[in-house]
Amino acid sequence: MNFMKITGKIDEIRAQVKAWKKEGLSVGFVPTMGYLHEGHQSLIARAVKENDRVVVSIFVNPMQFGPTEDLASYPRDLDRDSALCEATGAHMIFHPEPEEMYAPDFCSYVDMSVLTEELCGLSRPVHFRGVCTVVTKLFNIACPDRAYFGQKDAQQLAIITRMVRDLNMDVEVIGCPIVREDDGLAKSSRNTYLTPTERKAALVLSKAINFGESLVKDGETDCKKIIAAMTELIESEPLAKIDYIKIVDALSMEQIPTIDRPILCAMAVYIGNTRLIDNFTTNL
Ligand code: PAF
């Protein structure tokens, strides 16, 4: 097992990455909000495979939570997270306090139009500004060669990929497949909020995703019909309340009527008070 360091200090991460780069070593980066699960682990494992050194950040970023969202209750367990990172081969954890990341008079933001206006951007209006701002800061701090993001947050992945392109950031963004529980539920730190009854009900998300994907594979191209079929399935579960189910262009995130290009079919569904997301993509 490699010896892993943990720091909350920006200067220490910077100095370490600089030293690695001086030695000619490549640096992979996995940004997270902690409470790590096998989905995060798959990102870290891939980063370890493709880079000489790997930094994992664990920071519950206040800026990406709305005023009524779960910032205070977001699950945290640094000891467990550190053990998982070390066992998976990460070399350093960056775990800053909010004060280290945001000065009291902080007033610079990274904002994006178009891609942030659909899907989760509609029900979480401040979310992507917070994500873009913190990811930019983390890239500036860790200066990675490659950064790894999960496809479960498909809109986030598309937005970060576009931000890196638009702003000429010198990092390769790598999207990694969704990791699921044995019964199909997409892994998420928020799954811990579910009661046993809700956990069973939450299966309706992956069932609807599989159903929608099978319709597309069987040749259905009418987005309205696909969404209606998925909606009916989800509405058959009394504990589920749909936030959205949409089919969008995989690059622009704009809604489309017909499947005639690569698409993202994404949904957010409340199971009780817990908002869960899932999606499928097709390349056509
Ligand atoms: O996906 C997440 O966990 C977060 O949005 C991220 C990318 C770590 C930024 O806070």
Side-chain angles (χ1 to χ4, degrees):
M1 199 180 285
N2 91 86
F3 177 70
M4 190 187 66
K5 287 188 207 163
I6 303 183
T7 180
K9 297 286 165 225
I10 292 171
D11 287 351
E12 275 186 42
I13 283 283
R14 280 236 169 90
Q16 180 61 80
V17 170
K18 218 176 189 175
W20 285 335
K21 295 234 164 139
K22 218 171 163 187
E23 287 179 60
L25 301 173
S26 63
V27 177
F29 178 51
V30 183
T32 81
M33 298 207 300
Y35 215 73
L36 306 179
H37 49 67
E38 286 91 335
H40 299 109
Q41 196 168 20
S42 73
L43 305 181
I44 300 168
R46 174 127 180 229
V48 167
K49 210 166 138 199
E50 295 180 352
N51 301 275
D52 300 313
R53 294 291 181 267
V54 171
V55 177
V56 178
S57 67
I58 296 178
F59 178 57
V60 183
N61 173 36
M63 198 191 282
Q64 70 189 69
F65 288 78
T68 60
E69 292 181 358
D70 56 342
L71 173 62
S73 58
Y74 198 84
R76 292 158 166 90
D77 188 342
L78 185 60
D79 289 343
R80 206 173 122 266
D81 289 350
S82 307
L84 182 145
C85 288
E86 186 150 35
T88 314
H91 300 85
M92 195 146 182
I93 290 180
F94 178 48
H95 178 57
E97 292 299 324
E99 299 73 38
E100 178 76 0
M101 292 294 280
Y102 298 113
D105 56 352
F106 185 91
C107 58
S108 307
Y109 301 91
V110 181
D111 220 337
M112 184 182 289
S113 60
V114 189
L115 272 70
T116 57
E117 284 157 16
E118 263 297 346
L119 310 177
C120 289
L122 280 177
S123 38
R124 306 188 72 190
V126 298
H127 178 65
F128 288 117
R129 180 166 98 148
V131 170
C132 287
T133 302
V134 82
V135 170
T136 300
K137 284 168 67 67
L138 290 167
F139 284 174
N140 284 337
I141 291 164
C143 298
D145 297 290
R146 299 181 192 88
Y148 296 80
F149 294 86
Q151 175 67 31
K152 184 170 84 69
D153 295 296
Q155 189 177 14
Q156 170 173 279
L157 174 59
I159 286 170
I160 289 166
T161 304
R162 180 67 67 88
M163 176 182 83
V164 162
R165 189 206 72 176
D166 285 354
L167 301 182
N168 308 99
M169 295 178 174
D170 194 11
V171 53
E172 185 185 351
V173 174
I174 295 170
C176 302
I178 298 177
V179 177
R180 296 181 180 278
E181 303 285 354
D182 288 343
D183 61 6
L185 180 67
K187 301 252 183 196
S188 164
S189 306
R190 290 189 168 100
N191 290 349
T192 53
Y193 297 152
L194 301 168
T195 65
T197 313
E198 289 171 346
R199 171 66 183 76
K200 275 191 202 136
L203 273 187
V204 77
L205 277 92
S206 52
K207 280 187 189 150
I209 287 295
N210 289 339
F211 185 39
E213 199 168 10
S214 71
L215 293 176
V216 176
K217 277 197 182 129
D218 290 346
E220 182 58 70
T221 56
D222 184 335
C223 294
K224 256 193 189 155
K225 281 192 189 157
I226 297 162
I227 291 168
M230 293 170 73
T231 301
E232 195 184 331
L233 198 159
I234 292 186
E235 286 178 344
S236 70
E237 170 49 63
L239 290 181
K241 193 171 143 279
I242 296 172
D243 179 2
Y244 68 78
I245 305 180
K246 284 182 184 169
I247 297 180
V248 297
D249 177 302
L251 286 178
S252 71
M253 301 283 122
E254 283 166 328
Q255 282 192 75
I256 50 169
T258 310
I259 300 195
D260 55 3
R261 67 194 90 174
I263 59 115
L264 163 68
C265 175
M267 62 165 73
V269 176
Y270 284 94
I271 302 292
N273 291 325
T274 305
R275 185 175 176 280
L276 300 175
I277 57 173
D278 204 342
N279 70 74
F280 71 89
T281 53
T282 66
N283 284 322
L284 217 77

